Every structure is written in structure tokens, then in C-alpha cells.
């Protein structure tokens, strides 16, 4: 049953019934059309309400159907039936209406909603544009500028904002359906207002403003086509009749549907949902976590504290150095103040989050916390000593997590008497912003401990991915091969600016050498020195970065690294000195430099990363290819519209 109907006297309530989110699959579309056909013939019906069963009106088209050809009736066909119905249809939103869901609501004559409802047109996130009149109706209703914001950002708004904009007509604080029925009955015998399709074009149409918006959208899209396509459809709404605009929208929608970016983004959507589905954790019940102890008040520890406090956890922030602790608290408060200023957080929410963080200088105060996340110096002996201490301080069922980026957490776990409750929670900097969380499964970690880490990750709004223990886990291990191949390319004939440009054109925000300048060449140098004793002496080693370090070129912080910088200007200027160093490095190894094409640069880097990705899968470090995709997208800036590293390489989950 995809649609349920209830006849209350002369009022027909039609429920879209397709759990969990009332997606508008072919079966739903057919069922809606069939009901509307009966409305035409049953003259006892004098009022019609369209709603959704459960907490969704509808999350839009069934994403699984894209790419499967035309499955009739199409969504625009359904909207036609609703809009042409002999009775004005009232949409009653019991919750969220997204994409095609909102488009259905916009084809109704009036829209009522609960206060918790959200509305939006997120198609852009799937590489699409609204394909059932959303780009034509919404700008007519709320104007070109606001309409453009909806379709290019894909961000939903709450009911209050939707009411202000005129997307919904009323927020119902009492019983939604009773209110909708009363409203529908009040229309009997009156002339209902015209459908949105009969409205004139948006009054705020202004070609110059639109062009400026297009330029801004193009710059922000960084290679993604759907935001630009969505804006083109808005232009059609402003300059064409509704019917012609609708045709233009359909054409643009179809072009997006065929674009590989659509497949990449939809893959990323489902990958995110699949990452939570871990067979051996299905039966595990996460522990209750209310308080979290964070060890280390540096950049990472403070970022983790902000994330945890924002999610409502009580945070005890420990640092052995008073200075560092003070600085950490100042950093945390500054971040919350910034959130207020930028409108990301309300003042009361930021203040209550601030109040959640308590600085402590005595580790004994961690005795009662439910979870500890350690973010101190990356030294095995120090970490082992700290975990041993934590083990004796913390209550027996507390989970102890390390935020280490590459150390063997099995060894850390072995320093405690609770190895089943020790695991990795690897955040990415800035930890309060970056979405990725690698949950690292130690040999003895219990299912419950891992499930708890996933539950905490979800509450923090992170995309948590399971990784096994290995040097660098999933992400940093692949990053290492990326960086290494980029440096081999330097010796073979490319220059840093060539490689960075190719990777930017591929869709990364920055190339590897720009990233290195931002992160600091000194930090990377120290990391390399730690590896000197274990590095295979026969492995190819490029020493250009060491030479830059010797010259004091540490990156942006010294205004010189792989690039030159000017005071107050973060632009990376190619450096003749670096070019000379690169050429000299090739000569020193008797490598004849040659022209390296952009294609070769890209292919070699991708193949190096893919080969590591394959090894990570073969070794069981990642459970599935799509998990690697998520890590690369959300932790390392791999362009989401390419679906992630493995998807790009044609490797998908079985
Ligand atoms: N189609 C098919 N399945 C969908 C779906 C959709 N539109 N939206 C969600 N689902 C599925 C998810 O895959 C998941 O399935 P699973 O349980 O098997 O893993 C299940 O519904 C629940 O989804 P979430 O885990 O994401 O649940 P949340 O409560 O966290 O989030 C949501 C709900 C906000 C609706 C989120 O799922 C979402 O953003 N969905 C996508 C909405 C969207 O992009 N709509 C536009 C579709 S394109 C369109 O409408 C084109 C039209 O213009 C022609």
C-alpha cells in the first residue's frame, strides 16, 4: 500500500505511505494518480488533503530509481493531476518535504505544516536539479534571489522561515489534520486562489544581479555542474512562460541525470548510509555516554571539545600544562563566539555549550567520565603511560579512545587492563568542522565499545567510518601514497604548480604542495625523521622537501615553502628557487626530465592511491570500498561529485 485514504464526511485525506521517508517511487506515483482519478468522479468529495504518513511529508523522488529509465507516471504527471484537480488540494506537512516532496506540495493550492517541518530542494547535492517544476514554481512564489538560494545551496529551511517566505501558509500548533480539514472545508463554495503556475514571473528578476549570482555560483561549484544548471533553470523561470520554463527545466534535469557527477553524488549519498551498517555491530547496544574527558588542550583537543560540547556532552578538558589549558579554553570560547557572530549558533546555545566545558588540571577528575578521548603528543611511550594511568583512574566501564593519526592502538590498548574498551577515534582538523571520524578497531575492542564510538560520532554529526589498525589507518595511509607519487612526478619532470593545478582541476580545493605549505613543512620534516629508522633503504625517497626545510622554507608561516608568499597575501606564487631545486634534484639522481602531461600526472596519482586503496580492502582495514570513498571525500577533499577514490577507479561494494 503506497497511498492510504481516509474519507471524513466530505473530506478526503490522502496519505503518502512509503516508509521510511515516503519517497515518491513509481508505485507511489501510480497510487497517487489513481486516487486523484477517483476524486474527479466521486462528487461526494468536496475537500482534499494530501499528507504523509509518519514524520515525513516526502523526501522526494526515489533516489534508487535514477538511471533506470522513464518509469511512468512521471512526477510532473502526478503534479499535473494535483494541480488540475477539480478541488483545491491542501498539503498538510507532518514533517519534512524535500525535493520532489516539496514540489508536490507546491503543486497544491495551500500548504499547512507542523512547527518542526523543514522544506528544501536538495537535488543539487545529488548532481541534479529539481525536475518537477521546483525551479519554476518556487521562484514565482518567493522571488528569484531566494529561489536561487534554495536550488543552488540545497539547504532546507525550518517552518518558521518557510512561513516568512510564503512557502507555507500556516504553522499549525494543534492537530495538523483537523486544522487542515477545517481549512479545506472553509474553502467549499469559495473561489480558491490560483495555482503557483499561474503566477507571473518573479518580480525581483534583474539580469545584472542574476549574472553576479551565476559568477559566484560558478566559483563556488569548483567543477560541480548541478548548482550552475539549477541556476540556469531559475533564469528560465524568470524569462519564459511557465510552460516553456517547465520544458527548459526538464531538459536541464535530463542533462544532469546523464552526467556522471549524478552517479558519483548518489553513490556518496548511499555510501554514507551504508557506513553505519556493520554486520558484527548490528546486535551491539551502545553504552550511555553523557560525559567525555578530553586529554590535551591543543588545536585537536580543543576542536574535539567544541564538537562534543556543541552536541551537549559534559566535557572535562585536561592538560598537564596550565598555559596550554588556558589557551585551549580561550580557543574554545573564541570558536563559540565566532559561531554566534556568523549566525551558526544562537547566543543561548553557544553559552550553554561553553558551560559544558570544564578545564581540569588533575587527571583524577576523570574518574567518572563515560568516555575519554586522548589527543596528546604522538609518542608511543607517552601514550602508553597515559593510558595505563587512565586505566587506573577511570571507572571500569569507561571507554578509552586515542585520537592518534598513525600509532598502533593495539600497543596502546595493551598498556591497560581493559583492551576491549580501548579503540581509536581519529578526528580531522579542525575537529569541530571536519565531518570525518575514523573509528579504529583494535584487536580486542568489543562490539559494544565500537558501537558506542559510532553512536557518539553520530551525535557529534560526524560521518564515522570503521578502520582497522595500520600505519595511518585508511586516510593517512592513502594520503602518503598521494604525496609520494606527487614528489616522484617532480623528479621525473613536473613542477609543483603543474601538479597542484591538475589536482585542482580534478576538483580538489588545493593541490598537494599548497596543502603542504598550509600544514607546515617543518611538521612533515619531523614526521619523516621519525620514520628514518624504519624506511626501506631501497625505497625511492625524494629529498626536495628536506632541502626546503634546510632553507627555512616551512610554508605559509615563513612566507616561503613550495611557493613564495607575500605579506598579507595567501596566494601561492611559483618560486624560481624551488623550480631550480626540483631540476637539481632530478640531475642529482641522473633522471632525465621530460614533459609530463596533465593526464599522466592525474593518472599516476590516482593509480598510486587506488593501489593503496585496493591493499587496504584486501587486508580488511576497510570493510568496503565505499568506506574508503567516504574517508577520501570527507577527510581529504576528494571531489564528492566523483564519488570518491574507489568509485572513480571503478571499484564498488559487492
Ligand atoms: N529516495 C530513496 N531512499 C531514500 C530517500 C529518497 N529520496 N531519502 C532517504 N532514503 C532512504 C535512505 O537511503 C535510508 O535508507 P536505509 O535505511 O536503507 O539506509 C532511509 O531512507 C533513511 O534515510 P536516512 O538514514 O538518511 O534518514 P535521516 O532521517 O537521517 O534523513 C533525510 C532523512 C533528511 C530525508 C535524508 O535521507 C535525505 O536527505 N534524503 C535525500 C533527500 C533528497 O535529496 N531528496 C531529493 C531527491 S531527488 C528529487 O526529488 C528529484 C525531483 O526533483 C524530481
Amino acid at each position: 500500500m503506497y497511498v492510504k485514504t481516509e474519507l471524513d464526511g466530505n473530506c478526503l485525506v490522502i496519505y503518502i505511505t512509503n516508509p521510511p521517508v515516503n519517497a515518491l517511487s513509481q508505485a507511489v506515483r501510480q497510487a497517487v494518480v489513481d486516487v486523484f482519478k477517483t476524486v474527479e468522479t466521486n462528487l461526494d468529495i468536496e475537500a482534499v488533503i494530501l499528507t504523509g504518513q509518519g514524520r515525513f511529508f516526502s523526501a522526494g523522488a526515489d533516489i534508487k530509481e535514477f538511471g533506470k529509465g522513464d518509469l511512468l507516471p512521471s512526477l510532473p504527471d502526478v503534479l499535473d493531476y494535483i494541480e488540475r484537480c477539480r478541488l483545491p488540494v491542501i498539503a498538510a506537512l507532518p514533517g519534512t518535504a524535500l525535493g520532489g516532496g516539496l514540489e508536490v506540495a507546491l503543486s497544491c493550492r495551500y500548504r499547512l505544516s507542523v512547527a518542526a517541518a523543514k522544506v528544501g530542494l536538495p537535488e543539487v547535492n545529488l548532481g541534479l536539479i529539481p525536475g518537477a517544476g521546483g525551479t519554476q514554481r518556487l521562484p514565482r512564489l518567493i522571488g528569484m534571489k531566494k529561489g536561487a538560494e534554495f536550488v543552488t545551496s540545497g539547504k532546507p529551511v525550518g517552518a518558521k522561515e518557510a512561513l516568512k517566505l510564503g512557502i507555507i501558509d500556516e504553522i499549525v500548533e494543534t492537530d495538523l489534520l483537523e486544522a487542515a480539514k477545517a481549512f479545506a472545508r472553509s474553502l467549499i463554495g469559495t473561489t480558491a486562489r490560483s495555482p503557483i503556475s499561474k503566477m507571473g514571473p518573479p518580480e525581483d528578476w534583474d539580469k545584472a544581479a542574476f549574472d553576479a549570482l551565476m559568477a559566484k555560483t560558478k566559483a563556488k561549484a569548483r567543477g560541480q555542474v548541478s548548482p550552475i544548471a539549477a541556476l540556469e533553470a531559475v533564469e528560465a523561470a524568470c524569462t519564459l512562460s511557465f510552460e516553456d520554463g517547465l520544458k527548459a527545466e526538464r531538459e536541464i534535469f535530463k542533462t544532469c541525470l546523464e552526467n556522471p557527477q549524478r552517479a558519483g553524488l548518489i553513490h556518496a549519498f548511499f555510501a554514507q548510509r551504508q557506513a553505519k551498517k556493520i554486520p558484527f555491530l548490528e546486535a551491539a547496544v551502545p553504552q550511555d555516554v553523557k560525559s567525555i574527558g578530553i586529554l590535551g588542550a591543543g588545536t585537536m583537543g580543543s576542536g574535539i571539545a567544541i564538537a562534543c560540547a556543541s552536541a551537549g556532552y559534559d566535557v572535562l578538558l585536561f592538560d598537564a600544562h596550565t598555559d596550554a589549558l588556558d589557551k585551549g579554553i580561550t580557543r574554545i570560547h573564541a570558536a563559540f563566539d565566532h559561531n554566534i557572530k556568523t549566525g551558526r549558533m544562537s547566543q543561548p546555545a553557544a553559552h550553554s555549550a561553553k558551560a559544558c566545558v570544564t578545564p581540569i588540571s588533575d587527571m583524577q577528575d576523570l574518574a567518572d567520565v563515560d568516555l575519554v578521548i586522548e589527543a596528546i603528543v604522538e609518542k608511543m611511550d607517552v601514550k602508553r603511560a597515559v593510558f595505563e594511568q587512565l586505566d587506573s583512574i577511570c571507572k571500569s566501564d569507561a571507554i578509552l579512545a586515542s585520537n592518534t593519526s598513525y600509532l598502533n592502538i593495539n600497543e596502546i590498548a595493551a598498556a591497560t587492563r581493559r583492551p576491549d574498551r580501548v579503540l581509536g577515534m581519529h578526528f580531522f582538523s579542525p575537529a569541530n568542522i571536519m565531518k570525518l571520524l575514523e573509528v579504529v578497531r583494535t584487536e580486542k575492542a568489543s562490539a559494544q565499545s565500537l558501537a558506542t564510538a559510532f553512536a557518539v560520532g553520530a551525535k557529534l554529526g560526524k560521518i564515522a567510518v570503521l578502520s582497522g589498525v595500520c600505519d595511518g589507518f585508511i586516510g593517512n595511509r592513502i594520503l602518503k601514497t598521494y604525496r609520494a607519487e606527487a614528489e616522484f612526478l617532480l623528479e621525473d619532470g613536473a613542477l609543483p604548480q603543474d601538479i597542484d593545478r591538475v589536482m585542482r582541476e580534478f576538483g580538489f580545493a588545493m593541490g598537494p604542495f599548497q596543502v603542504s605549505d598550509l600544514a607546515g613543512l617543518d611538521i612533515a620534516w619531523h614526521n619523516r625523521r621519525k620514520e628514518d629508522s624504519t624506511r626501506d633503504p631501497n625505497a625511492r625517497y625524494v629529498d626536495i622537501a628536506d632541502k626546503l626545510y634546510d632553507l627555512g622554507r616551512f610554508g605559509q608561516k615563513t612566507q616561503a615553502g613550495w611557493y613564495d608568499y607575500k605579506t598579507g597575501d595567501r596566494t601561492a606564487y611559483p618560486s624560481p628557487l624551488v623550480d631550480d631545486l626540483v631540476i637539481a634534484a632530478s640531475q642529482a639522481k641522473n633522471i632525465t626530465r621530460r614533459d609530463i602531461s596533465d593526464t599522466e600526472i592525474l593518472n599516476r596519482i590516482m593509480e598510486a592511491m587506488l593501489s593503496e586503496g585496493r591493499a587496504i580492502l584486501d587486508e580488511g582495514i576497510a570493510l568496503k570500498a565505499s568506506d574508503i570513498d567516504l574517508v577520501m571525500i570527507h577527510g581529504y577533499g576528494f571531489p564528492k561529485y566523483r564519488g570518491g577514490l574507489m568509485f572513480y577507479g571503478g571499484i564498488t561494494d559487492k
Side-chain angles (χ1 to χ4, degrees):
M1 189 174 54
Y2 295 99
V3 159
K4 186 181 94 180
T5 55
E6 258 171 28
L7 191 60
D8 178 359
N10 58 354
C11 183
L12 181 72
V13 182
I14 306 167
Y15 296 84
I16 303 170
T17 310
N18 188 17
V21 297
N22 293 334
L24 301 164
S25 63
Q26 190 274 339
V28 170
R29 298 195 298 274
Q30 186 61 59
V32 173
V33 165
D34 291 345
V35 174
F36 273 93
K37 280 183 183 162
T38 66
V39 172
E40 293 309 313
T41 51
N42 183 348
L43 298 184
D44 291 339
I45 300 169
E46 292 184 284
V48 180
I49 291 161
L50 183 59
T51 189
Q53 182 90 52
R55 65 185 179 95
F56 287 91
F57 178 74
S58 165
D62 186 339
I63 300 172
K64 290 186 213 87
E65 284 182 356
F66 292 130
K68 291 191 178 162
D70 288 338
L71 300 172
L72 297 175
S74 70
L75 199 54
D77 293 341
V78 177
L79 267 65
D80 241 23
Y81 273 93
I82 297 172
E83 202 171 84
R84 288 167 195 267
C85 180
R86 68 181 174 85
L87 296 167
V89 181
I90 316 299
L93 277 50
T96 300
L98 294 177
L102 177 57
E103 291 176 301
V104 166
L106 291 174
S107 73
C108 297
R109 222 52 81 82
Y110 299 88
R111 287 157 292 281
L112 311 184
S113 88
V114 298
K118 283 190 178 153
V119 298
L121 293 173
E123 285 88 343
V124 68
N125 300 326
L126 303 173
L128 290 167
I129 69 161
T135 64
Q136 305 304 298
R137 286 190 178 87
L138 198 61
R140 277 179 164 75
L141 191 62
I142 66 172
M144 179 269 281
K145 285 199 192 97
K146 276 288 165 193
E149 207 176 300
F150 262 77
V151 297
T152 57
S153 76
K155 284 198 187 116
V157 300
K160 228 167 146 187
E161 176 70 8
L163 180 70
K164 213 160 81 189
L165 291 168
I167 299 174
I168 55 173
D169 300 293
E170 192 184 321
I171 295 177
V172 178
E173 303 285 356
T174 54
D175 185 281
L176 177 70
L177 283 183
E178 287 311 315
K181 283 179 200 169
F183 185 81
R185 286 186 176 122
S186 74
L187 294 176
I188 298 171
T190 67
T191 309
R193 72 174 176 214
S194 301
I196 297 172
S197 60
K198 299 286 181 244
M199 290 173 77
E203 282 172 9
D204 64 343
W205 166 248
D206 169 348
K207 176 81 172 103
F210 178 84
D211 288 345
L213 206 59
M214 181 57 98
K216 211 167 126 195
T217 305
K218 277 185 179 160
K220 217 171 147 197
R222 260 200 337 251
Q224 189 179 331
V225 297
S226 53
I228 300 157
L231 207 49
E232 282 166 359
V234 171
E235 184 176 21
C238 298
T239 55
L240 302 177
S241 68
F242 180 77
E243 289 68 26
D244 288 343
L246 216 51
K247 279 185 206 144
E249 179 196 79
R250 203 66 200 157
E251 282 313 305
I252 301 171
F253 177 81
K254 280 186 180 158
T255 313
C256 288
L257 203 58
E258 299 308 321
N259 193 302
Q261 291 191 5
R262 187 267 305 162
L265 285 163
I266 287 184
H267 167 74
F269 175 86
F270 285 116
Q272 198 172 323
R273 272 116 199 121
Q274 286 305 316
K276 299 177 208 160
K277 295 177 185 162
I278 301 166
F280 54 86
L281 297 188
E282 251 161 36
V285 180
Q287 274 176 234
D288 201 18
V289 174
K290 288 200 169 63
S291 55
I292 300 180
I294 295 170
L295 248 58
T299 314
M300 208 61 201
S302 311
I304 298 170
I306 296 165
C308 294
S310 304
Y313 287 111
D314 287 327
V315 175
L316 295 183
L317 181 66
F318 169 84
D319 202 296
H321 306 281
T322 320
D323 254 18
L325 192 56
D326 290 346
K327 272 191 194 150
I329 292 293
T330 308
R331 201 178 293 127
I332 292 165
H333 286 189
F336 285 126
D337 291 341
H338 181 73
N339 283 350
I340 299 172
K341 226 186 250 169
T342 53
R344 235 191 248 162
M345 258 179 145
S346 70
Q347 207 153 8
H351 285 158
S352 75
K354 264 188 204 177
C356 285
V357 186
T358 309
I360 55 165
S361 48
D362 184 351
M363 261 173 80
Q364 295 295 335
D365 293 341
L366 296 172
D368 293 326
V369 296
D370 303 309
L371 165 71
V372 176
I373 303 172
E374 163 277 311
I376 59 169
V377 63
E378 288 281 63
K379 284 190 177 153
M380 180 56 88
D381 48 348
V382 178
K383 291 210 199 261
R384 278 179 57 94
V386 162
F387 270 72
E388 198 180 339
Q389 212 179 337
L390 282 172
D391 192 31
S392 63
I393 292 170
C394 296
K395 60 182 182 185
S396 59
D397 62 350
I399 294 172
L400 310 180
S402 173
N403 176 57
T404 179
S405 310
Y406 58 89
L407 293 178
N408 185 334
I409 310 179
N410 289 327
E411 280 180 40
I412 299 175
T416 72
R417 288 158 300 165
R418 60 176 97 189
D420 58 323
R421 295 182 176 277
V422 178
L423 44 76
M425 287 179 78
H426 181 214
F427 290 82
F428 290 72
S429 189
N432 50 316
I433 308 275
M434 295 290 281
K435 284 267 175 216
L436 182 66
L437 172 68
E438 283 177 325
V439 172
V440 185
R441 181 189 188 188
T442 50
E443 267 164 16
K444 296 194 175 153
S446 70
Q448 190 182 37
S449 307
L450 292 164
T452 306
F454 269 88
V456 170
K459 197 165 164 194
L460 299 183
K462 302 292 177 200
I463 294 170
V465 172
L466 192 72
S467 169
V469 175
C470 67
D471 186 15
F473 314 123
I474 298 174
N476 280 342
R477 184 167 154 183
I478 293 176
L479 181 70
K480 209 170 181 180
T481 61
Y482 175 17
R483 295 209 47 83
E485 193 61 34
E487 295 193 2
F488 298 159
L489 281 158
L490 287 182
E491 280 186 344
D492 292 346
L495 291 170
Q497 49 272 26
D498 300 328
I499 297 167
D500 281 350
R501 177 181 46 75
V502 170
M503 299 319 288
R504 279 197 309 272
E505 283 169 6
F506 180 75
F508 281 92
M510 283 189 244
F513 299 105
Q514 285 172 286
V515 172
S516 170
D517 273 358
L518 190 66
L521 273 74
D522 49 338
I523 294 168
W525 184 89
H526 284 289
N527 287 339
R528 284 197 299 279
R529 296 297 72 82
K530 281 184 213 156
E531 292 166 359
D532 282 344
S533 57
T534 51
R535 189 179 299 114
D536 173 2
N538 296 318
R540 184 173 176 183
Y541 181 84
V542 179
D543 66 0
I544 306 170
D546 292 339
K547 296 221 159 76
L548 292 174
Y549 174 85
D550 292 342
L551 292 169
R553 296 180 68 100
F554 298 166
Q556 284 195 15
K557 61 177 115 175
T558 56
Q559 289 189 17
W562 290 99
Y563 293 93
D564 292 335
Y565 298 88
K566 295 176 187 165
T567 314
D569 178 2
R570 284 168 173 241
T571 314
Y573 295 96
S575 163
L577 181 146
V578 173
D579 291 357
D580 289 346
L581 267 183
V582 169
I583 292 163
S586 310
Q587 280 167 353
K589 285 195 186 166
N590 285 327
I591 297 171
T592 310
R593 293 181 66 78
R594 60 186 174 85
D595 278 344
I596 299 191
S597 70
D598 290 0
T599 311
E600 182 178 341
I601 290 176
L602 183 64
N603 288 350
R604 276 178 57 178
I605 287 180
M606 284 300 148
E607 193 34 59
M609 288 202 282
L610 272 166
S611 143
E612 200 63 33
R614 283 186 212 106
I616 283 171
L617 267 185
D618 291 347
E619 292 165 29
I621 296 296
L623 290 186
K624 42 192 182 292
S626 58
D627 281 353
I628 302 178
D629 290 331
L630 287 178
V631 168
M632 296 312 290
I633 291 169
H634 296 286
Y636 298 86
F638 196 97
K640 195 175 181 181
Y641 59 79
R642 297 199 188 268
L645 173 67
M646 306 307 278
F647 184 80
Y648 176 78
I651 303 165
T652 50
D653 300 338
K654 286 174 197 96

